[in-house]
Amino acid sequence: MHWMTAGCEPGFEVSEHGKIPGSWKINRPAGQAWPKYGWGTDFSAFRIAVPESAGFDGRAIYMDADMLVLGDVRELAETPLRKPWKSISSLRTDVSVIDCAYFKDKPWWPTLNWMRPSGSHLPQYREILKRNDCFDTSLPPEWNWCDDQPRSLKGAKLLHYTNVPLQPYHPYPSVQYQPHHSPAWVDIWNQYEQESRAALHA
């Protein structure tokens, strides 16, 4: 497992204008929640760094941070890949299974040294993947079960708390949080958070 935490992990420092040497240019101040310009989050395009960060070797699974995994991740690790980037759609790459070796020595694939100062946004990178026919969109939706609309937990293997104002853990001080439209989503989050905290102090 490798964390790509914006501003905390080496190689994943961020800055608005890219003036900090080696930082990712995100085109808006860091630490904001969906400011409607620049990157959506401080880590939006980090998923594109996965192949090179993995040394262009093997298979990798990318996940956002606002998720709760209920299924067996081995299912993702062993899923057949028809093409090198598997997700539920070309627009929802929040959970991706990636054939890292495929991208080695591809002249159209951006390097980390190019990406960091470029300021390029995730949609631009998705367009590169689409243009080069890289998307396998057969990942079952239960592996990216999003709360952008009311949903039952039934059948979900990964819960994605993607609606920022409804997130039960309130990560952004500037956001006016609201009650989640599905109480069961909050209950299961609280359950696993309490179990995790207890395990840390055991």
Side-chain angles (χ1 to χ4, degrees):
M1 181 181 293
H2 183 83
W3 295 97
M4 296 189 293
T5 309
C8 297
E9 304 298 321
F12 296 97
E13 300 84 356
V14 296
S15 61
E16 181 173 5
H17 303 294
K19 292 182 179 179
I20 298 174
S23 67
W24 291 74
K25 179 182 176 183
I26 64 174
N27 292 314
R28 48 87 168 170
Q32 297 186 7
W34 294 97
K36 302 188 187 302
Y37 66 100
W39 285 21
T41 68
D42 289 3
F43 60 86
S44 291
F46 286 178
R47 67 202 69 183
I48 307 302
V50 168
E52 186 171 345
S53 296
F56 295 108
D57 183 47
R59 176 181 293 204
I61 300 169
Y62 171 84
M63 295 180 185
D64 278 358
D66 54 356
M67 296 176 168
L68 189 60
V69 179
L70 305 178
D72 187 346
V73 176
R74 182 174 179 177
E75 186 176 326
L76 288 180
E78 297 180 352
T79 187
L81 289 178
R82 302 172 185 170
K83 295 177 182 179
W85 196 289
K86 186 169 185 173
S87 53
I88 63 171
S89 77
S90 60
L91 294 177
R92 294 236 65 135
T93 57
D94 329 281
V95 178
S96 295
V97 184
I98 305 164
D99 178 0
C100 297
Y102 177 86
F103 296 94
K104 186 176 183 179
D105 298 326
K106 293 291 189 293
W108 45 265
W109 187 246
T111 65
L112 284 176
N113 287 337
W114 182 89
M115 285 191 280
R116 289 191 181 104
S118 73
S120 294
H121 296 209
L122 181 58
Q124 294 170 287
Y125 293 120
R126 288 197 303 248
E127 186 57 35
I128 292 174
L129 289 165
K130 287 177 66 176
R131 190 165 60 244
N132 289 280
D133 195 27
C134 292
F135 275 119
D136 172 358
T137 58
S138 65
L139 186 70
E142 56 264 30
W143 274 108
N144 196 354
W145 206 245
C146 299
D147 68 344
D148 49 0
Q149 56 183 302
R151 288 177 185 267
S152 165
L153 302 181
K154 186 177 181 180
K157 297 183 179 181
L158 183 147
L159 301 181
H160 188 179
Y161 295 80
T162 188
N163 193 327
V164 172
L166 305 184
Q167 288 175 334
Y169 49 98
H170 301 178
Y172 297 104
S174 61
V175 172
Q176 297 293 316
Y177 287 97
Q178 306 162 22
H180 201 282
H181 47 56
S182 298
W185 282 65
V186 178
D187 291 343
I188 195 169
W189 177 273
N190 289 337
Q191 172 194 333
Y192 279 101
E193 181 181 26
Q194 291 166 9
E195 290 178 5
S196 297
R197 290 185 183 278
L200 284 173
H201 295 96

